[in-house]
Amino acid sequence: MRVMQFAGHALPLLALLLLAGCQRGMPPVAFHADGRPPKLSDWHVVEVRDGRLQLNDGVVPYDLNTPLFTDYAHKLRTVWMPKGTTAKYQPTDTLDFPVGTVISKTFYYPRAADGKFGDVARNDDYSRDFAGQGLDMANVRLIETRILVHRKDGWAAIPYVWNDAQTEATLARTGAVLPLALVGTDNAREDFNYVVPDESQCQSCHAQDWIDRKVHPIGPKARHINKDYHYADGSANQLEHLAKLGYLSGLPALAEVPRDANWEDTRATLDARARAYLDINCGHCHNANGAANTTGLTLDAGTPEDRHLGICKPPTAAGQGTGDHFFDIVPGQPDESILPYRLSSKEPGVMMPELGRSTVHREGVALIKAWIAAQPGSCVAIH
């Protein structure tokens, strides 16, 4: 079984990792050195069989300490590498994956209790998602699977959207818009449009350097995946497990490896939780080389707690995105700060992040507001 932490509670999940032999009837994983295969099943990474979304041999699932928010979607992340290859450890950047690596991320929701196909549950409960060695199709609705494949000329992002029959996902180079309704535990409904990004939009977030604009994975950085995962053969640190499988080389002692906090783990400090949330949700653009580098606002893990982080920093441009506020962060005053204002908006030109959501992450906004409210100081005194 597997354990994930949500709101301070450990939730058991049945193991996904297959250590011996391919799934019955599933051909080996296929690395496509070029082109855009028309079907997700052309990759043989994950496929629906026997009422489950199953992982192929050598396809390793992983989690992040703090995940990127996407309209409350649940996510199944996997990595596969060709036999005899290995990723190289990087202390700050994404692990250095070899050519041939295939990373997948499947977005799905628990089905709402009313059984309507367009209704999906808003919750952090993964306990009913899995059955045997895969996602239980009786309890979940698959939305999309994104493939990141490392080819000789760099990484390529390829989106696939699942059909209504939940049997196959097909290529969606121009993206898609899916009308859904989030249903809370109190049965409150929130209608929204789930937006599958097109290939060019994938680049806007995954471009690690905005000068060369080459696509790179975001999640598999050491600090994001430095956590325990309960595999079929027992609990292990994910980085050490990848090293044991031959998927990672150069891993130092874990005490030397950085680690982001779990944003929901109240045992961590408020500062650590908020910084981890901003790092994964905003830091891939708001960094020295990212798409938002001209704003002067940097939100990745290495940013010092000064104006670079937005404390008493005026915006580089006025307009509707400021909400008539003067500073990105006003210590002790979240309602006077631009950062939570933009996180709380769904309006184009105001909302942040600009892509990847059509709803407001209420719990995430509450965390950032609490973090700002706890900050000492005054912009009047500093400015």
Side-chain angles (χ1 to χ4, degrees):
M1 296 180 68
R2 163 189 171 191
V3 172
M4 293 183 67
Q5 291 289 337
F6 288 107
H9 300 287
L11 299 177
L13 301 185
L14 294 174
L16 298 175
L17 182 61
L18 304 174
L19 295 176
C22 294
Q23 287 287 338
R24 180 177 299 177
M26 194 184 301
V29 173
F31 165 60
H32 296 274
D34 53 34
R36 301 291 190 272
K39 298 181 296 182
L40 178 65
S41 59
D42 293 328
W43 296 90
H44 306 302
V45 172
V46 294
E47 294 184 20
V48 173
R49 293 174 179 269
D50 302 323
R52 294 170 291 158
L53 182 70
Q54 300 184 18
L55 279 64
N56 208 343
D57 177 45
V59 176
V60 182
Y62 67 93
D63 290 325
L64 308 186
N65 283 308
T66 293
L68 178 72
F69 173 75
T70 309
D71 289 330
Y72 291 94
H74 293 201
K75 301 171 186 179
L76 172 61
R77 303 170 182 84
T78 74
V79 60
W80 175 89
M81 297 177 219
K83 187 175 181 179
T85 65
T86 184
K88 297 177 182 177
Y89 173 80
Q90 302 292 320
T92 303
D93 296 332
T94 302
L95 302 180
D96 186 5
F97 291 100
V99 170
T101 299
V102 180
I103 294 174
S104 79
K105 182 162 63 170
T106 297
F107 298 70
Y108 68 94
Y109 289 93
R111 294 180 184 270
D114 62 16
K116 295 180 181 178
F117 189 64
D119 288 2
V120 295
R122 182 208 302 270
N123 65 47
D124 284 335
D125 181 9
Y126 279 63
S127 62
R128 297 179 65 251
D129 295 357
F130 295 91
Q133 292 169 324
L135 286 176
D136 185 351
M137 298 303 297
N139 294 323
V140 305
R141 176 180 173 181
L142 306 177
I143 303 296
E144 60 163 323
T145 296
R146 302 177 190 176
I147 293 289
L148 275 175
V149 55
H150 195 188
R151 293 166 168 167
K152 287 185 177 180
D153 58 352
W155 289 90
I158 310 176
Y160 294 86
V161 175
W162 286 90
N163 60 18
D164 288 350
Q166 300 282 272
T167 56
E168 178 66 275
T170 55
L171 182 64
R173 298 189 66 175
T174 58
V177 178
L178 306 176
L180 298 174
L182 284 167
V183 181
T185 54
D186 57 356
N187 292 321
R189 291 171 54 89
E190 179 182 357
D191 295 320
F192 74 104
N193 287 324
Y194 182 100
V195 179
V196 179
D198 60 39
E199 288 187 354
S200 63
Q201 290 173 320
C202 292
Q203 183 190 60
S204 67
C205 288
H206 283 272
Q208 190 167 282
D209 188 320
W210 202 238
I211 296 176
D212 64 31
R213 302 198 179 189
K214 291 182 178 179
V215 169
H216 293 270
I218 295 173
K221 296 180 173 70
R223 65 182 181 272
H224 297 320
I225 62 175
N226 182 11
K227 60 169 289 185
D228 284 350
Y229 188 108
H230 205 79
Y231 298 96
D233 57 349
S235 183
N237 177 274
Q238 291 186 136
L239 291 167
E240 290 186 329
H241 186 72
L242 290 173
K244 180 180 178 181
L245 293 178
Y247 272 15
L248 180 62
S249 61
L251 178 66
L254 286 183
E256 302 175 24
V257 179
R259 181 183 182 274
D260 269 5
N262 175 345
W263 74 281
E264 291 184 298
D265 185 359
T266 55
R267 294 170 298 180
T269 67
L270 179 60
D271 182 70
R273 294 164 57 207
R275 292 296 302 270
Y277 185 88
L278 294 173
D279 184 21
I280 191 66
N281 282 280
C282 313
H284 51 275
C285 286
H286 283 276
N287 64 73
N289 298 312
N293 64 348
T294 58
T295 66
L297 179 65
T298 54
L299 298 173
D300 57 355
T303 304
E305 294 197 7
D306 56 18
R307 286 201 177 193
H308 291 92
L309 190 61
I311 298 174
C312 297
K313 187 191 82 63
T316 55
Q320 62 176 354
T322 68
D324 294 326
H325 302 317
F326 294 107
F327 303 106
D328 292 334
I329 292 176
V330 180
Q333 301 185 57
D335 292 337
E336 298 300 321
S337 303
I338 296 172
L339 187 60
Y341 169 74
R342 303 195 75 171
L343 291 173
S344 302
S345 177
K346 296 185 290 185
E347 183 179 348
V350 176
M351 63 181 286
M352 282 289 172
E354 296 176 311
L355 301 172
R357 69 174 180 89
S358 299
T359 61
V360 174
H361 191 197
R362 304 168 187 175
E363 299 80 3
V365 171
L367 171 67
I368 298 306
K369 284 189 172 183
W371 173 62
I372 294 174
Q375 293 180 12
S378 168
C379 290
V380 174
I382 296 175
H383 183 59

